[in-house]
Amino acid sequence: MPLLYSIGKVTVGNALMLGWRPRVEGLEFVPRTGGAIFAGNHLSVADELFLGAVVPRHLAFWAKAEYFDGTGAGGWFTRNLLNGLGAIRVQRAGGRDALAAFDGAIPVLQSGDCVVVYPEGTRSPDGKLYRGRTGVARLAVAAGVPIIPVGTLGTEKVQPIGQPYPKPFSGKITVKFGKPIETTGRSDDRTALRALTDEVMHEIQKLTGQEYVPRYAPAKPAA
């Protein structure tokens, strides 16, 4: 586990555990060793904070490329912070740049580390669970690692969209883990990846009880 991540768990992680006392279910499904992908619903930026707090292992999160490319003292600080936390750089524009992030995650998983993916691709705008994108299945099959379904509830109240930090005394947090979905021997053709992704979303929906919408989440409106 990276040193900076360990420090974060002792400081920020413990503060979250003490301040909100999240309820955790299914922690026995989190493998103690070996690579794995945590695939969850996405209601708030706080999803990542609470997931990192309750999972005893290092989790590699994706971070926008802009965070790595900032200039000045602020850019230097952010870049070194993300590198110290073991974040994975990703270009949201897609194409070859997005594939580079995908390729970068495979050795992380194959080395025995864990990666977090939100298959919806964006935060839910209305609390519903939307159709998953197949990247989570493609990455799991390519790396040969299991997918751990994750359901997080209550974070949209603790840190709604536009809120810069979690609000104290603003709601109860629940984090649920489902049984690992094995991907060894799965086909990587388009139909099989779609089926695996739908299976993952079904397991997430069982954990959260959210209304499922069989289409992709709408893109955020331009600023």
Side-chain angles (χ1 to χ4, degrees), residues 46-69:
D47 297 335
E48 300 179 359
L49 295 175
F50 285 98
L51 185 59
V54 304
V55 174
R57 299 183 57 187
H58 173 249
L59 301 177
F61 292 91
W62 306 89
K64 292 188 295 184
E66 299 93 282
Y67 293 150
F68 291 88
D69 299 333

Side-chain angles (χ1 to χ4, degrees), residues 84-134:
L85 292 172
I88 300 173
R89 175 188 176 119
V90 60
Q91 283 279 7
R92 291 194 173 184
R96 291 184 179 274
D97 289 330
L99 289 175
F102 179 89
D103 291 340
I106 293 177
V108 171
L109 291 164
Q110 291 180 334
S111 70
D113 213 341
C114 300
V115 171
V116 178
V117 175
Y118 294 105
E120 292 170 277
T122 186
R123 285 170 289 176
S124 172
D126 51 17
K128 298 176 182 178
L129 183 68
Y130 285 81
R131 190 185 198 208
R133 299 182 181 275
T134 58

Side-chain angles (χ1 to χ4, degrees), residues 108-176:
V108 171
L109 291 164
Q110 291 180 334
S111 70
D113 213 341
C114 300
V115 171
V116 178
V117 175
Y118 294 105
E120 292 170 277
T122 186
R123 285 170 289 176
S124 172
D126 51 17
K128 298 176 182 178
L129 183 68
Y130 285 81
R131 190 185 198 208
R133 299 182 181 275
T134 58
V136 61
R138 184 175 293 108
L139 180 59
V141 172
V145 298
I147 301 171
I148 314 299
V150 181
T152 305
L153 299 168
T155 50
E156 78 282 8
K157 296 178 181 178
V158 168
Q159 190 175 359
I161 295 175
Q163 172 72 20
Y165 51 82
K167 298 186 297 181
F169 315 112
S170 53
K172 296 182 178 180
I173 302 294
T174 301
V175 182
K176 300 180 180 181

Side-chain angles (χ1 to χ4, degrees), residues 137 140-146 181-189 192-193 196:
V141 172
V145 298
I181 299 172
E182 296 297 334
T183 65
T184 303
R186 299 259 193 165
S187 172
D188 62 355
D189 68 75
L193 293 177
L196 176 55

Side-chain angles (χ1 to χ4, degrees), residues 2 4 68 76-89:
L4 193 56
F68 291 88
W76 177 89
F77 175 80
T78 301
R79 180 167 55 255
N80 283 277
L81 174 65
L82 291 174
N83 286 328
L85 292 172
I88 300 173
R89 175 188 176 119

